[in-house]
Amino acid sequence: MRLTDRRFALVLIAPAALFLAAFVAWPLLRFVSNAFYEISPMAGGPRKFVGFENFATAFDSPAFQGAALRTIVYTFIVVALEFTFGLAVALVFAALGSRSAVFRTVFMYPLMVAPVVAGLLWRFLLIDNFGILNELLRRIGLLHSTDQIAWLSNPKIALFSVALPDIWLTTSFITLVLFAGLQNVPGDVIEAARIDGVRFPTLLFRIILPLLRPVIAVALIVRGIDAARAFDIILIQTNGGPQDSTTTLSLLIYLTMTRNGDPGLASAMGTVYLIGMLAVATVAIFAIWRPGSDQA
């Protein structure tokens, strides 16, 4: 590359680099640095360096421990169900070929719905006493009354209930990614396996899924991180209740910052949260994708 070409490339990427530095790198550095200070909730208030005290407070907090566990459970529920449903639908679409074009278009509609709107919609569907879902179940005889299942007010099932809108919203994303990956699976390999009499379960788990490993890694990591930071869809349905049974880490950090007025502790929780997600994503890449292995 000639010198003029290098200068031209630098000119092209300079605005993007400045944008990332100003709106991503600098706020991130400020956020992490705030974790080491006791900060007044008032704008322009005093800042006192406390070292790792905020981190110790976060790890000793039962609220933080409970929120971390709920975040893991919520993420597992959402990603596991989305992957299962998404893979099943992607396989059906791949089997239908071009005939699935209309169905694929309709199936992608939930991706266009904002999470807040989805949260409100499912709140009306699941709300106690007069929720649409319980009313339908009562009319077909599965429930005796509309308050028999308290989807959003029973602490034992509330976390699963608030996950339903997330699953409904983004299963289509998993389907889209896996369907695109299936288009790159060599047809001659599948055909040869069928000629050899390989049954579908063996074909799926021994041939198709290993070939889809990089695609699966991308889909699970993207959706895992997105599900782990779920906030608005839970806030609009339960605001973390009942009895904090749906308070995930994102919501706890928000409440620590706004309700409790402790920016330093909130930053420490957020920093631990960020490091944890980076660690999980790294492990997932090497466990699922396996870069450098002989398998795809």
Side-chain angles (χ1 to χ4, degrees):
M1 181 181 293
R2 299 192 304 272
L3 183 59
T4 54
D5 294 335
R6 292 179 181 176
R7 289 177 178 175
F8 181 70
L10 289 174
V11 171
L12 288 178
I13 66 173
L18 290 175
F19 178 87
L20 290 175
F23 295 101
V24 178
W26 175 244
L28 181 61
L29 289 174
R30 288 283 297 175
F31 175 77
V32 174
S33 66
N34 286 342
F36 298 93
Y37 290 86
E38 180 181 331
I39 305 172
S40 170
M42 303 300 294
R47 293 165 57 94
K48 178 184 176 182
F49 182 77
V50 293
F52 290 92
E53 183 178 326
N54 286 326
F55 292 94
T57 302
F59 282 115
D60 290 338
S61 169
F64 181 78
Q65 297 170 9
L69 178 60
R70 284 187 290 273
T71 300
I72 294 172
V73 173
Y74 178 89
T75 303
F76 177 79
I77 291 173
V78 170
V79 175
L81 291 178
E82 284 182 2
F83 179 76
T84 302
F85 295 148
L87 177 61
V89 177
L91 290 171
V92 172
F93 287 165
L96 291 174
S98 59
R99 292 173 294 177
S100 66
V102 175
F103 300 105
R104 293 201 306 268
T105 303
V106 174
F107 198 72
M108 295 302 134
Y109 280 167
L111 282 176
M112 306 176 190
V113 180
V116 173
V117 176
L120 284 172
L121 172 63
W122 279 84
R123 184 179 179 184
F124 288 126
L125 289 174
L126 302 175
I127 198 167
D128 301 344
N129 298 325
F130 55 88
I132 298 174
L133 179 59
N134 279 0
E135 177 63 24
L136 291 175
L137 294 176
R138 185 191 66 80
R139 292 193 178 189
I140 63 178
L142 295 179
L143 297 181
H144 300 296
S145 62
T146 54
D147 61 351
Q148 188 172 345
I149 301 179
W151 295 100
L152 297 178
S153 59
N154 184 348
K156 295 181 179 179
I157 63 173
L159 189 63
F160 172 78
S161 300
V162 297
L164 292 177
D166 208 348
I167 296 169
W168 174 73
L169 271 177
T170 48
T171 295
S172 51
F173 167 77
I174 297 290
T175 302
L176 182 65
V177 173
L178 295 179
F179 177 76
L182 286 171
Q183 306 311 300
N184 294 321
V185 174
D188 54 347
V189 175
I190 304 298
E191 189 62 30
R194 288 175 176 170
I195 293 174
D196 290 339
V198 177
R199 296 184 177 182
F200 180 75
T202 304
L203 179 67
L204 177 63
F205 290 103
R206 294 293 184 89
I207 298 176
I208 295 178
L209 290 183
L211 291 173
L212 287 178
R213 186 174 290 144
V215 177
I216 292 174
V218 171
L220 293 184
I221 291 170
V222 171
R223 273 305 298 141
I225 293 175
D226 192 45
R229 64 179 184 84
F231 171 75
D232 43 4
I233 205 166
I234 298 177
L235 180 68
I236 203 69
Q237 291 183 93
T238 62
N239 196 28
Q243 302 174 19
D244 293 330
S245 60
T246 59
T247 301
T248 57
L249 280 175
S250 294
L251 195 56
L252 178 64
I253 294 168
Y254 166 77
L255 295 175
T256 302
M257 177 72 178
T258 58
R259 181 185 297 175
N260 301 337
D262 196 339
L265 180 58
S267 297
M269 291 179 175
T271 301
V272 174
Y273 188 23
L274 175 63
I275 294 173
M277 287 199 294
L278 289 175
V280 171
T282 302
V283 171
I285 289 174
F286 285 94
I288 302 174
W289 189 346
R290 300 179 188 174
S293 64
D294 294 332
Q295 295 179 344

